[in-house]
Each structure stands twice: as structure tokens, then as C-alpha cells.
PDB file of all heavy atoms in Angstrom:
ATOM      1  N   VAL A  32     -13.757  -1.699  -1.861  1.00 98.00           N
ATOM      2  CA  VAL A  32     -14.600  -0.804  -1.092  1.00 98.00           C
ATOM      3  C   VAL A  32     -15.352  -1.524   0.034  1.00 98.00           C
ATOM      4  O   VAL A  32     -15.277  -1.053   1.212  1.00 98.00           O
ATOM      5  CB  VAL A  32     -15.606  -0.047  -2.086  1.00 98.00           C
ATOM      6  CG1 VAL A  32     -16.677   0.696  -1.265  1.00 98.00           C
ATOM      7  CG2 VAL A  32     -14.812   0.882  -2.919  1.00 98.00           C
ATOM      8  N   ALA A  33     -15.909  -2.654  -0.308  1.00 98.00           N
ATOM      9  CA  ALA A  33     -16.567  -3.485   0.708  1.00 98.00           C
ATOM     10  C   ALA A  33     -15.724  -3.894   1.877  1.00 98.00           C
ATOM     11  O   ALA A  33     -16.023  -3.802   3.008  1.00 98.00           O
ATOM     12  CB  ALA A  33     -17.267  -4.653   0.058  1.00 98.00           C
ATOM     13  N   GLN A  34     -14.487  -4.365   1.368  1.00 98.00           N
ATOM     14  CA  GLN A  34     -13.490  -4.797   2.310  1.00 98.00           C
ATOM     15  C   GLN A  34     -13.089  -3.640   3.394  1.00 98.00           C
ATOM     16  O   GLN A  34     -13.078  -3.794   4.574  1.00 98.00           O
ATOM     17  CB  GLN A  34     -12.221  -5.373   1.736  1.00 98.00           C
ATOM     18  CG  GLN A  34     -11.156  -5.776   2.586  1.00 98.00           C
ATOM     19  CD  GLN A  34      -9.755  -5.923   1.960  1.00 98.00           C
ATOM     20  OE1 GLN A  34      -9.343  -4.969   1.342  1.00 98.00           O
ATOM     21  NE2 GLN A  34      -9.174  -7.096   2.120  1.00 98.00           N
ATOM     22  N   GLN A  35     -12.824  -2.386   2.812  1.00 98.00           N
ATOM     23  CA  GLN A  35     -12.376  -1.419   3.693  1.00 98.00           C
ATOM     24  C   GLN A  35     -13.432  -0.790   4.526  1.00 98.00           C
ATOM     25  O   GLN A  35     -13.244  -0.506   5.687  1.00 98.00           O
ATOM     26  CB  GLN A  35     -11.754  -0.259   2.907  1.00 98.00           C
ATOM     27  CG  GLN A  35     -10.953   0.688   3.800  1.00 98.00           C
ATOM     28  CD  GLN A  35     -10.016   1.502   2.984  1.00 98.00           C
ATOM     29  OE1 GLN A  35     -10.290   2.018   1.866  1.00 98.00           O
ATOM     30  NE2 GLN A  35      -8.908   1.944   3.559  1.00 98.00           N
ATOM     31  N   ARG A  36     -14.650  -0.873   4.059  1.00 98.00           N
ATOM     32  CA  ARG A  36     -15.801  -0.419   4.873  1.00 98.00           C
ATOM     33  C   ARG A  36     -15.938  -1.407   6.131  1.00 98.00           C
ATOM     34  O   ARG A  36     -16.284  -0.908   7.179  1.00 98.00           O
ATOM     35  CB  ARG A  36     -17.074  -0.321   4.081  1.00 98.00           C
ATOM     36  CG  ARG A  36     -17.096   0.888   3.180  1.00 98.00           C
ATOM     37  CD  ARG A  36     -18.329   1.161   2.468  1.00 98.00           C
ATOM     38  NE  ARG A  36     -18.238   2.328   1.645  1.00 98.00           N
ATOM     39  CZ  ARG A  36     -19.159   3.346   1.713  1.00 98.00           C
ATOM     40  NH1 ARG A  36     -20.192   3.265   2.541  1.00 98.00           N
ATOM     41  NH2 ARG A  36     -19.044   4.458   0.942  1.00 98.00           N
ATOM     42  N   ALA A  37     -15.835  -2.699   5.875  1.00 98.00           N
ATOM     43  CA  ALA A  37     -15.891  -3.714   6.915  1.00 98.00           C
ATOM     44  C   ALA A  37     -14.744  -3.431   7.916  1.00 98.00           C
ATOM     45  O   ALA A  37     -14.849  -3.569   9.066  1.00 98.00           O
ATOM     46  CB  ALA A  37     -15.868  -5.027   6.312  1.00 98.00           C
ATOM     47  N   GLU A  38     -13.517  -3.201   7.392  1.00 98.00           N
ATOM     48  CA  GLU A  38     -12.434  -2.903   8.303  1.00 98.00           C
ATOM     49  C   GLU A  38     -12.593  -1.649   9.099  1.00 98.00           C
ATOM     50  O   GLU A  38     -12.174  -1.683  10.329  1.00 98.00           O
ATOM     51  CB  GLU A  38     -11.103  -2.823   7.482  1.00 98.00           C
ATOM     52  CG  GLU A  38     -10.624  -4.044   6.793  1.00 98.00           C
ATOM     53  CD  GLU A  38      -9.642  -4.032   5.662  1.00 98.00           C
ATOM     54  OE1 GLU A  38      -9.573  -2.826   5.057  1.00 98.00           O
ATOM     55  OE2 GLU A  38      -8.845  -4.892   5.416  1.00 98.00           O
ATOM     56  N   ILE A  39     -13.113  -0.603   8.600  1.00 98.00           N
ATOM     57  CA  ILE A  39     -13.445   0.589   9.250  1.00 98.00           C
ATOM     58  C   ILE A  39     -14.594   0.342  10.429  1.00 98.00           C
ATOM     59  O   ILE A  39     -14.451   0.772  11.520  1.00 98.00           O
ATOM     60  CB  ILE A  39     -13.956   1.763   8.366  1.00 98.00           C
ATOM     61  CG1 ILE A  39     -12.758   2.092   7.420  1.00 98.00           C
ATOM     62  CG2 ILE A  39     -14.268   2.975   9.219  1.00 98.00           C
ATOM     63  CD1 ILE A  39     -11.431   2.314   7.998  1.00 98.00           C
ATOM     64  N   ALA A  40     -15.500  -0.460   9.995  1.00 98.00           N
ATOM     65  CA  ALA A  40     -16.485  -0.896  11.028  1.00 98.00           C
ATOM     66  C   ALA A  40     -15.871  -1.664  12.187  1.00 98.00           C
ATOM     67  O   ALA A  40     -16.328  -1.411  13.339  1.00 98.00           O
ATOM     68  CB  ALA A  40     -17.563  -1.711  10.365  1.00 98.00           C
ATOM     69  N   ALA A  41     -14.959  -2.492  11.941  1.00 98.00           N
ATOM     70  CA  ALA A  41     -14.238  -3.199  12.971  1.00 98.00           C
ATOM     71  C   ALA A  41     -13.392  -2.234  13.730  1.00 98.00           C
ATOM     72  O   ALA A  41     -13.401  -2.448  15.073  1.00 98.00           O
ATOM     73  CB  ALA A  41     -13.300  -4.345  12.335  1.00 98.00           C
ATOM     74  N   ILE A  42     -12.881  -1.328  13.219  1.00 98.00           N
ATOM     75  CA  ILE A  42     -12.061  -0.389  14.106  1.00 98.00           C
ATOM     76  C   ILE A  42     -12.928   0.385  14.983  1.00 98.00           C
ATOM     77  O   ILE A  42     -12.640   0.445  16.177  1.00 98.00           O
ATOM     78  CB  ILE A  42     -11.275   0.681  13.160  1.00 98.00           C
ATOM     79  CG1 ILE A  42     -10.260  -0.033  12.382  1.00 98.00           C
ATOM     80  CG2 ILE A  42     -10.771   1.894  13.885  1.00 98.00           C
ATOM     81  CD1 ILE A  42      -9.552   0.824  11.331  1.00 98.00           C
ATOM     82  N   CYS A  43     -14.162   0.808  14.397  1.00 98.00           N
ATOM     83  CA  CYS A  43     -15.041   1.631  15.285  1.00 98.00           C
ATOM     84  C   CYS A  43     -15.765   0.729  16.312  1.00 98.00           C
ATOM     85  O   CYS A  43     -16.468   1.277  17.314  1.00 98.00           O
ATOM     86  CB  CYS A  43     -16.025   2.308  14.391  1.00 98.00           C
ATOM     87  SG  CYS A  43     -15.220   3.601  13.292  1.00 98.00           S
ATOM     88  N   ALA A  44     -15.602  -0.613  16.230  1.00 98.00           N
ATOM     89  CA  ALA A  44     -16.400  -1.505  17.186  1.00 98.00           C
ATOM     90  C   ALA A  44     -15.450  -1.818  18.373  1.00 98.00           C
ATOM     91  O   ALA A  44     -16.016  -2.458  19.376  1.00 98.00           O
ATOM     92  CB  ALA A  44     -16.840  -2.854  16.459  1.00 98.00           C
ATOM     93  N   GLU A  45     -14.313  -1.531  18.251  1.00 97.00           N
ATOM     94  CA  GLU A  45     -13.298  -1.662  19.397  1.00 97.00           C
ATOM     95  C   GLU A  45     -13.733  -1.057  20.632  1.00 97.00           C
ATOM     96  O   GLU A  45     -13.859   0.208  20.559  1.00 97.00           O
ATOM     97  CB  GLU A  45     -11.855  -1.347  19.057  1.00 97.00           C
ATOM     98  CG  GLU A  45     -11.247  -2.157  17.893  1.00 97.00           C
ATOM     99  CD  GLU A  45     -10.852  -3.571  18.437  1.00 97.00           C
ATOM    100  OE1 GLU A  45     -10.790  -3.735  19.652  1.00 97.00           O
ATOM    101  OE2 GLU A  45     -10.290  -4.328  17.653  1.00 97.00           O
ATOM    102  N   THR A  46     -13.836  -1.773  21.752  1.00 96.00           N
ATOM    103  CA  THR A  46     -14.300  -1.133  23.029  1.00 96.00           C
ATOM    104  C   THR A  46     -13.206  -0.254  23.706  1.00 96.00           C
ATOM    105  O   THR A  46     -13.456   0.574  24.484  1.00 96.00           O
ATOM    106  CB  THR A  46     -14.847  -2.179  23.937  1.00 96.00           C
ATOM    107  OG1 THR A  46     -13.753  -3.119  24.267  1.00 96.00           O
ATOM    108  CG2 THR A  46     -16.040  -2.921  23.319  1.00 96.00           C
ATOM    109  N   GLU A  47     -11.940  -0.680  23.501  1.00 95.00           N
ATOM    110  CA  GLU A  47     -10.851   0.112  23.957  1.00 95.00           C
ATOM    111  C   GLU A  47      -9.880   0.477  22.948  1.00 95.00           C
ATOM    112  O   GLU A  47      -8.918  -0.141  22.556  1.00 95.00           O
ATOM    113  CB  GLU A  47     -10.162  -0.866  25.075  1.00 95.00           C
ATOM    114  CG  GLU A  47     -11.003  -1.216  26.282  1.00 95.00           C
ATOM    115  CD  GLU A  47     -10.212  -2.008  27.272  1.00 95.00           C
ATOM    116  OE1 GLU A  47      -8.869  -2.082  27.000  1.00 95.00           O
ATOM    117  OE2 GLU A  47     -10.685  -2.553  28.144  1.00 95.00           O
ATOM    118  N   PRO A  48     -10.105   1.703  22.277  1.00 96.00           N
ATOM    119  CA  PRO A  48      -9.365   2.177  21.196  1.00 96.00           C
ATOM    120  C   PRO A  48      -7.857   2.235  21.654  1.00 96.00           C
ATOM    121  O   PRO A  48      -7.585   2.763  22.689  1.00 96.00           O
ATOM    122  CB  PRO A  48      -9.970   3.509  20.812  1.00 96.00           C
ATOM    123  CG  PRO A  48     -11.316   3.417  21.436  1.00 96.00           C
ATOM    124  CD  PRO A  48     -11.275   2.565  22.574  1.00 96.00           C
ATOM    125  N   SER A  49      -6.983   1.904  20.691  1.00 98.00           N
ATOM    126  CA  SER A  49      -5.518   1.978  20.981  1.00 98.00           C
ATOM    127  C   SER A  49      -4.829   2.367  19.615  1.00 98.00           C
ATOM    128  O   SER A  49      -5.487   2.361  18.610  1.00 98.00           O
ATOM    129  CB  SER A  49      -4.921   0.697  21.444  1.00 98.00           C
ATOM    130  OG  SER A  49      -5.059  -0.268  20.429  1.00 98.00           O
ATOM    131  N   TRP A  50      -3.578   2.748  19.723  1.00 98.00           N
ATOM    132  CA  TRP A  50      -2.782   3.067  18.547  1.00 98.00           C
ATOM    133  C   TRP A  50      -2.866   1.846  17.494  1.00 98.00           C
ATOM    134  O   TRP A  50      -3.069   2.094  16.376  1.00 98.00           O
ATOM    135  CB  TRP A  50      -1.330   3.390  19.036  1.00 98.00           C
ATOM    136  CG  TRP A  50      -0.563   3.784  17.766  1.00 98.00           C
ATOM    137  CD1 TRP A  50       0.389   2.957  17.120  1.00 98.00           C
ATOM    138  CD2 TRP A  50      -0.510   5.017  17.187  1.00 98.00           C
ATOM    139  NE1 TRP A  50       0.980   3.625  16.013  1.00 98.00           N
ATOM    140  CE2 TRP A  50       0.416   4.929  16.026  1.00 98.00           C
ATOM    141  CE3 TRP A  50      -1.248   6.192  17.229  1.00 98.00           C
ATOM    142  CZ2 TRP A  50       0.678   6.036  15.250  1.00 98.00           C
ATOM    143  CZ3 TRP A  50      -0.990   7.342  16.385  1.00 98.00           C
ATOM    144  CH2 TRP A  50      -0.077   7.224  15.229  1.00 98.00           C
ATOM    145  N   ALA A  51      -2.692   0.642  18.045  1.00 98.00           N
ATOM    146  CA  ALA A  51      -2.600  -0.540  17.237  1.00 98.00           C
ATOM    147  C   ALA A  51      -3.965  -0.717  16.509  1.00 98.00           C
ATOM    148  O   ALA A  51      -4.020  -1.143  15.375  1.00 98.00           O
ATOM    149  CB  ALA A  51      -2.136  -1.743  17.968  1.00 98.00           C
ATOM    150  N   ASN A  52      -5.071  -0.735  17.304  1.00 98.00           N
ATOM    151  CA  ASN A  52      -6.358  -1.167  16.660  1.00 98.00           C
ATOM    152  C   ASN A  52      -7.067   0.061  16.079  1.00 98.00           C
ATOM    153  O   ASN A  52      -8.264  -0.271  15.560  1.00 98.00           O
ATOM    154  CB  ASN A  52      -7.163  -1.918  17.702  1.00 98.00           C
ATOM    155  CG  ASN A  52      -7.681  -0.994  18.951  1.00 98.00           C
ATOM    156  OD1 ASN A  52      -7.837   0.250  18.741  1.00 98.00           O
ATOM    157  ND2 ASN A  52      -7.893  -1.633  20.023  1.00 98.00           N
ATOM    158  N   THR A  53      -6.401   1.120  16.090  1.00 98.00           N
ATOM    159  CA  THR A  53      -7.078   2.307  15.429  1.00 98.00           C
ATOM    160  C   THR A  53      -6.258   2.859  14.256  1.00 98.00           C
ATOM    161  O   THR A  53      -6.565   2.526  13.134  1.00 98.00           O
ATOM    162  CB  THR A  53      -7.277   3.438  16.413  1.00 98.00           C
ATOM    163  OG1 THR A  53      -8.247   2.962  17.433  1.00 98.00           O
ATOM    164  CG2 THR A  53      -8.070   4.598  15.806  1.00 98.00           C
ATOM    165  N   VAL A  54      -5.159   3.428  14.594  1.00 98.00           N
ATOM    166  CA  VAL A  54      -4.379   4.118  13.627  1.00 98.00           C
ATOM    167  C   VAL A  54      -3.529   2.972  12.722  1.00 98.00           C
ATOM    168  O   VAL A  54      -3.657   3.020  11.472  1.00 98.00           O
ATOM    169  CB  VAL A  54      -3.292   5.021  14.149  1.00 98.00           C
ATOM    170  CG1 VAL A  54      -2.262   5.562  13.086  1.00 98.00           C
ATOM    171  CG2 VAL A  54      -4.087   6.231  14.892  1.00 98.00           C
ATOM    172  N   GLU A  55      -2.876   1.959  13.338  1.00 98.00           N
ATOM    173  CA  GLU A  55      -2.273   0.949  12.598  1.00 98.00           C
ATOM    174  C   GLU A  55      -3.313   0.168  11.790  1.00 98.00           C
ATOM    175  O   GLU A  55      -2.897  -0.332  10.647  1.00 98.00           O
ATOM    176  CB  GLU A  55      -1.401   0.242  13.424  1.00 98.00           C
ATOM    177  CG  GLU A  55      -0.172   1.047  14.104  1.00 98.00           C
ATOM    178  CD  GLU A  55       0.868   0.107  14.701  1.00 98.00           C
ATOM    179  OE1 GLU A  55       0.503  -1.023  15.133  1.00 98.00           O
ATOM    180  OE2 GLU A  55       2.028   0.560  14.862  1.00 98.00           O
ATOM    181  N   ALA A  56      -4.280  -0.236  12.488  1.00 98.00           N
ATOM    182  CA  ALA A  56      -5.376  -0.724  11.563  1.00 98.00           C
ATOM    183  C   ALA A  56      -5.855  -0.046  10.377  1.00 98.00           C
ATOM    184  O   ALA A  56      -6.159  -0.652   9.399  1.00 98.00           O
ATOM    185  CB  ALA A  56      -6.574  -1.155  12.575  1.00 98.00           C
ATOM    186  N   LEU A  57      -5.980   1.204  10.560  1.00 98.00           N
ATOM    187  CA  LEU A  57      -6.422   2.168   9.412  1.00 98.00           C
ATOM    188  C   LEU A  57      -5.352   2.015   8.249  1.00 98.00           C
ATOM    189  O   LEU A  57      -5.632   1.988   7.073  1.00 98.00           O
ATOM    190  CB  LEU A  57      -6.609   3.557   9.862  1.00 98.00           C
ATOM    191  CG  LEU A  57      -7.010   4.610   8.733  1.00 98.00           C
ATOM    192  CD1 LEU A  57      -8.174   4.175   7.977  1.00 98.00           C
ATOM    193  CD2 LEU A  57      -7.152   5.976   9.399  1.00 98.00           C
ATOM    194  N   GLU A  58      -4.050   2.106   8.720  1.00 98.00           N
ATOM    195  CA  GLU A  58      -2.949   2.067   7.771  1.00 98.00           C
ATOM    196  C   GLU A  58      -2.973   0.695   7.010  1.00 98.00           C
ATOM    197  O   GLU A  58      -2.571   0.751   5.743  1.00 98.00           O
ATOM    198  CB  GLU A  58      -1.633   2.203   8.523  1.00 98.00           C
ATOM    199  CG  GLU A  58      -1.167   3.666   8.843  1.00 98.00           C
ATOM    200  CD  GLU A  58      -0.781   4.428   7.715  1.00 98.00           C
ATOM    201  OE1 GLU A  58       0.272   4.331   7.234  1.00 98.00           O
ATOM    202  OE2 GLU A  58      -1.573   5.168   7.181  1.00 98.00           O
ATOM    203  N   ILE A  59      -3.214  -0.295   7.707  1.00 97.00           N
ATOM    204  CA  ILE A  59      -3.335  -1.598   6.992  1.00 97.00           C
ATOM    205  C   ILE A  59      -4.440  -1.715   6.022  1.00 97.00           C
ATOM    206  O   ILE A  59      -4.332  -2.609   5.079  1.00 97.00           O
ATOM    207  CB  ILE A  59      -3.241  -2.771   8.054  1.00 97.00           C
ATOM    208  CG1 ILE A  59      -1.929  -2.705   8.775  1.00 97.00           C
ATOM    209  CG2 ILE A  59      -3.470  -4.066   7.471  1.00 97.00           C
ATOM    210  CD1 ILE A  59      -1.830  -3.669  10.018  1.00 97.00           C
ATOM    211  N   SER A  60      -5.568  -1.162   6.381  1.00 98.00           N
ATOM    212  CA  SER A  60      -6.839  -1.335   5.684  1.00 98.00           C
ATOM    213  C   SER A  60      -6.733  -1.034   4.190  1.00 98.00           C
ATOM    214  O   SER A  60      -5.834  -0.242   3.735  1.00 98.00           O
ATOM    215  CB  SER A  60      -7.915  -0.589   6.329  1.00 98.00           C
ATOM    216  OG  SER A  60      -7.758   0.802   6.023  1.00 98.00           O
ATOM    217  N   GLY A  61      -7.689  -1.693   3.382  1.00 98.00           N
ATOM    218  CA  GLY A  61      -7.763  -1.185   2.058  1.00 98.00           C
ATOM    219  C   GLY A  61      -6.821  -1.921   1.056  1.00 98.00           C
ATOM    220  O   GLY A  61      -6.427  -1.465  -0.039  1.00 98.00           O
ATOM    221  N   ALA A  62      -6.355  -3.108   1.431  1.00 97.00           N
ATOM    222  CA  ALA A  62      -5.421  -3.796   0.610  1.00 97.00           C
ATOM    223  C   ALA A  62      -5.823  -4.097  -0.834  1.00 97.00           C
ATOM    224  O   ALA A  62      -5.014  -3.932  -1.810  1.00 97.00           O
ATOM    225  CB  ALA A  62      -4.909  -5.128   1.290  1.00 97.00           C
ATOM    226  N   ILE A  63      -7.000  -4.564  -1.007  1.00 98.00           N
ATOM    227  CA  ILE A  63      -7.553  -4.947  -2.350  1.00 98.00           C
ATOM    228  C   ILE A  63      -7.484  -3.607  -3.165  1.00 98.00           C
ATOM    229  O   ILE A  63      -7.162  -3.562  -4.377  1.00 98.00           O
ATOM    230  CB  ILE A  63      -8.890  -5.503  -2.275  1.00 98.00           C
ATOM    231  CG1 ILE A  63      -8.858  -6.913  -1.643  1.00 98.00           C
ATOM    232  CG2 ILE A  63      -9.517  -5.687  -3.667  1.00 98.00           C
ATOM    233  CD1 ILE A  63     -10.201  -7.509  -1.440  1.00 98.00           C
ATOM    234  N   LEU A  64      -7.968  -2.481  -2.596  1.00 98.00           N
ATOM    235  CA  LEU A  64      -8.053  -1.180  -3.311  1.00 98.00           C
ATOM    236  C   LEU A  64      -6.673  -0.776  -3.760  1.00 98.00           C
ATOM    237  O   LEU A  64      -6.538  -0.357  -4.826  1.00 98.00           O
ATOM    238  CB  LEU A  64      -8.663  -0.156  -2.460  1.00 98.00           C
ATOM    239  CG  LEU A  64     -10.268  -0.101  -2.308  1.00 98.00           C
ATOM    240  CD1 LEU A  64     -10.657   1.086  -1.526  1.00 98.00           C
ATOM    241  CD2 LEU A  64     -10.774   0.073  -3.831  1.00 98.00           C
TER     242      LEU A  64
END
């Protein structure tokens, strides 16, 4: 849970959202869970 929350925070901190750093990053997130 902590890992994925940090990953979501990193996605939302991107200054120039893109498919790779938003949707693909979301798809990759949560590996431990």
C-alpha cells in the first residue's frame, strides 16, 4: 500500500503528463500488492 501510494504521488508530480508517465506508470504500479 505504501509503495503504490508513493508511485501514485510520483505520477501526479509529473509536470508534463504523458501516456508513459501516467497510464503506463499506473499499470506498472503496485508490484508488491
Side-chain angles (χ1 to χ4, degrees):
V32 168
Q34 179 197 52
Q35 193 166 34
R36 288 189 176 231
E38 290 166 335
I39 299 308
I42 291 172
C43 294
E45 290 284 351
T46 56
E47 296 183 10
S49 67
W50 180 258
N52 66 30
T53 302
V54 172
E55 291 190 341
L57 177 58
E58 281 286 281
I59 293 170
S60 71
I63 294 176
L64 279 179

